[in-house]
Amino acid sequence: MTTTRPAFSRLGTVTCFGALLAVLAACSSAATDAGAPGSSGLVEPEQQGPTADVSKGGDANDAGAPSGGNTKDAGGAGLRVVQVALGGGHTCALLSDGRVKCWGLNRAGQLGLGDEENRGDGPAEMGAALPAVDLGPGRTAKEIAVLVQSTCALLDDGTVKCWGERRGLTGEDIDVGEAPGQMGAALAPLPLPGRAKHLFAGFQHACVILEDDTTRCFGAVNDFGQLGVGDKTARPPSTTLAPLAFPGGRKAREVRPGTTHTCARLDDGTVSCWGDGNEGELGTGTKTTALVPGGPVDLGGGKRVVSLATSAQPVLASVPHGYNCAVLEGGDVKCWGYGSAGLGIGYVPNSLANRGDEPGEMGDALPAVALGAGQRAVSIAVGMGLTPYATMSCAVLENGSVKCWGKNAFGTLGMGDTLPRGEDPATMGNALAPIDLGPGVKVSAVAVSTSYGERLSACAVTTDGRLKCWGFNKDGQLGLGDTVIRGASPGQMGAALPYVDLW
């Protein structure tokens, strides 16, 4: 049976209004969060093309399946990592045989293993010793998505199952997956209007694209209209969820829920955003809130968007922050919203260097991120902490390398130091080195976490179907059998950074 928790017993679903400093103190002392609500690391097949995600199609905060390489190199009898997603201190991977394995923080049963024991923070807990999540008799997963302290999987039959803390997503004040007998056949799929073919998650809301190409969003919080249905009323998953109406009757190919806003990449390559726009998240040149999808966001040049990422804070604060990054045809990256190092175009600390909240900031006036001479991106991932300006973005480049910029307090940029990149434009372009993941290692997808402070983590799926993770590691979210931070000191990256053992 499920376990009921007192209201606000888990930091991952704290609703914070008022003094932000008090929230920061409480959150910093109590918990870690690794995955942006998305955070993600998801790959979409249809989005893949030149992009990095494999499980969902090639764009994402979630990192998806690699596009090539020797499957024998992956180790487990030809197994490969198809997708990785980082949540609130936990990480999950989808394997090529449809199994899901999760490790790291497990205080709410988000690992789906019938207990509350962390995995990956001690020896002999990974590899064959790490059980796969029981999804039910004969069921396998096609995609995964994580929230701060919960995990969801889109199964092979088009249903969606979620475990861990359920309050933010369904409104149920329960945890599922923390005790024996809660998973497998005992875990009912979410009630949805039809079979899903794609799944996306944010802080406290999620969206699915159904087989009929309609998009439905649900969650226990809708204070800013982030569900896109024309009001601010929360909607748990239901068979009566209304479809979102996109401009011009367009269909979504990718949906990126944040905390208080949501964006979607549509079938014509444009971007539509809705929800909170106080800091330019909607890219409209105003600070207004939109209760239904708007757009198209003007990114200049008339180029189609091929990959999209949206950040999410780990709590709902009175002054929420959010930003987005998009990869355009041709490989340019443009970011807008909350002014921070994560935008990659420089900012002045303690100033409001937002992009998209004032006229004249979007379109051709919005500069592309300087990735270096001749460097073109294929996919993008972003992450955000609660501490002001704690943002981070990573792009997978056409040559299989990864470049990251933003805050770097725990080595999340993988540069062997804790120096930020992107605050000063001089740290970008050719000056921004690709992450060293080892000789000859190429990447097909990257995922970035969300954090309560600046405790960000990241993972990359390599083209031979293996996984490397670095950054903050308090709860074993890197899956390396310890709690040692990787990437903040010299000698920790490259060949010295182990692959995550998943088989």
Side-chain angles (χ1 to χ4, degrees):
M1 56 188 289
T2 53
T3 301
T4 302
R5 295 295 187 207
F8 305 106
S9 64
R10 308 238 185 249
L11 284 174
T13 55
V14 172
T15 302
C16 300
F17 296 100
L20 180 59
L21 291 178
V23 175
L24 288 171
C27 293
S28 297
S29 64
T32 309
D33 139 12
S39 169
S40 305
L42 209 85
V43 177
E44 251 184 303
E46 56 189 292
Q47 304 167 351
Q48 184 179 355
T51 60
D53 284 343
V54 184
S55 76
K56 267 192 119 174
D59 348 12
N61 294 4
D62 291 330
S67 57
N70 184 347
T71 55
K72 291 183 180 179
D73 291 342
L79 287 175
R80 303 166 64 88
V81 175
V82 173
Q83 184 186 345
V84 63
L86 283 70
H90 75 293
T91 305
C92 294
L94 172 61
L95 306 184
S96 54
D97 61 0
R99 290 183 299 151
V100 176
K101 287 194 172 188
C102 300
W103 60 95
L105 183 65
N106 194 29
R107 66 174 54 173
Q110 57 263 55
L111 305 188
L113 299 179
D115 57 39
E116 292 183 326
E117 299 297 321
N118 291 359
R119 302 297 199 287
D121 58 348
E125 295 181 340
M126 298 296 293
L130 180 66
V133 177
D134 183 359
L135 300 173
R139 295 274 70 89
T140 58
K142 296 169 58 180
E143 294 178 2
I144 55 174
V146 297
L147 294 90
V148 175
Q149 290 193 133
S150 57
T151 308
C152 295
L154 169 59
L155 305 186
D156 58 308
D157 62 354
T159 62
V160 174
K161 287 190 174 185
C162 298
W163 57 94
E165 185 180 68
R166 303 262 293 197
R167 178 174 50 192
L169 190 62
T170 67
E172 304 165 281
D173 192 18
I174 58 175
D175 297 335
V176 176
E178 63 174 4
Q182 296 180 341
M183 298 296 294
L187 179 61
L190 299 182
L192 295 172
R195 289 165 54 98
K197 65 177 183 178
H198 292 305
L199 168 67
F200 309 87
F203 164 55
Q204 284 188 326
H205 70 291
C207 299
V208 291
I209 298 177
L210 300 183
E211 288 185 339
D212 63 1
D213 280 333
T214 61
T215 299
R216 321 288 174 117
C217 296
F218 52 91
V221 177
N222 190 30
D223 293 354
F224 294 84
Q226 55 264 49
L227 299 186
V229 288
D231 57 38
K232 297 182 179 181
T233 302
R235 283 171 172 76
S238 165
T239 57
T240 60
L241 288 173
L244 273 60
F246 293 107
R250 306 249 60 108
K251 304 295 184 181
R253 291 292 177 258
E254 175 186 11
V255 187
R256 295 295 167 200
T259 299
T260 58
H261 81 290
T262 308
C263 291
R265 180 175 62 86
L266 305 183
D267 55 2
D268 62 351
T270 62
V271 172
S272 174
C273 297
W274 59 95
D276 178 45
N278 187 62
E279 294 180 314
E281 300 95 323
L282 307 189
T284 59
T286 68
K287 297 179 173 65
T288 58
T289 293
L291 301 182
V292 296
V297 175
D298 183 6
L299 295 174
K303 295 182 178 179
R304 293 168 59 94
V305 172
V306 299
S307 178
L308 178 66
T310 294
S311 73
Q313 286 183 288
V315 298
L316 183 60
S318 56
V319 182
H321 303 309
Y323 77 107
N324 316 292
C325 290
V327 178
L328 308 182
E329 285 178 324
D332 281 346
V333 172
K334 288 197 172 187
C335 303
W336 68 98
Y338 177 53
S340 66
L343 297 187
I345 53 178
Y347 83 102
V348 179
N350 302 316
S351 72
L352 297 178
N354 299 339
R355 297 298 196 282
D357 63 339
E358 299 287 347
E361 295 181 338
M362 297 297 292
D364 292 333
L366 181 66
V369 177
L371 297 173
Q375 299 298 320
R376 302 195 299 180
V378 295
S379 67
I380 189 75
V382 303
M384 173 174 272
L386 184 58
T387 302
Y389 308 109
T391 59
M392 171 186 165
S393 305
C394 289
V396 178
L397 305 184
E398 207 170 39
N399 62 7
S401 66
V402 177
K403 286 193 173 188
C404 298
W405 58 93
K407 297 297 284 187
N408 191 27
F410 293 94
T412 319
L413 300 186
M415 304 302 293
D417 58 39
T418 57
L419 301 175
R421 272 78 171 177
E423 295 181 348
D424 182 349
T427 62
M428 299 296 292
N430 292 337
L432 182 65
I435 294 176
D436 181 7
L437 294 174
V441 174
K442 294 185 181 298
V443 172
S444 61
V446 65
V448 182
S449 75
T450 293
S451 168
Y452 284 110
E454 298 180 8
R455 306 167 180 179
L456 299 170
S457 306
C459 293
V461 179
T462 63
T463 53
D464 64 356
R466 292 186 285 177
L467 188 65
K468 284 201 171 191
C469 299
W470 62 96
F472 193 69
N473 193 30
K474 175 180 178 291
D475 299 295
Q477 54 262 58
L478 302 188
L480 299 179
D482 56 38
T483 57
V484 177
I485 293 168
R486 302 302 202 288
S489 301
Q492 294 181 324
M493 299 297 291
L497 181 66
Y499 287 97
V500 180
D501 183 6
L502 292 173
W503 30 73

